[in-house]
Amino acid sequence: NLFLERSGGAMIKTCYKVNVKKDGSLWFIQLSSHENIFTQARCVEEIEPMTRDAISLMLNIPEDSFDIEFSFDSSTQIS
């Protein structure tokens, strides 16, 4: 659900996998490895910043200290 990524051979950065599903007018976002970390967005452009904010706040880490891998529900159309 999360993995470490080598960047430039020296730095290790955590990558969090999140699941995204659209329901009506909202996008629901949940961190795969932590059921209690979730958020929502009103539009596609809000998905990454809202996700970063939720992970950062709940894990008490800087927003730029990790990567995110998004997995969109197969029935979800991105527009």
Side-chain angles (χ1 to χ4, degrees):
N1 289 337
L2 71 99
F3 59 92
L4 299 177
E5 177 181 289
R6 292 200 179 270
S7 175
M11 186 176 159
I12 296 177
K13 203 171 202 183
T14 302
C15 183
Y16 294 100
K17 293 184 179 184
V18 298
N19 298 314
V20 182
K21 182 175 183 168
K22 188 168 185 182
D23 187 11
S25 62
L26 293 174
W27 295 87
F28 293 95
I29 306 147
Q30 183 168 17
L31 187 61
S32 298
S33 59
H34 294 76
E35 286 183 14
N36 63 332
I37 300 179
F38 52 89
T39 188
Q40 61 188 25
R42 291 175 288 192
C43 61
V44 172
E45 292 80 17
E46 288 185 349
I47 293 173
E48 183 172 356
M50 294 298 287
T51 303
R52 273 193 189 283
D53 186 54
I55 292 170
S56 175
L57 288 171
M58 294 299 291
L59 298 180
N60 197 28
I61 56 176
E63 287 188 15
D64 62 354
S65 68
F66 55 89
D67 291 325
I68 304 170
E69 181 180 320
F70 294 97
S71 176
F72 289 85
D73 183 276
S74 61
S75 65
T76 299
Q77 285 192 329
I78 302 169
S79 56

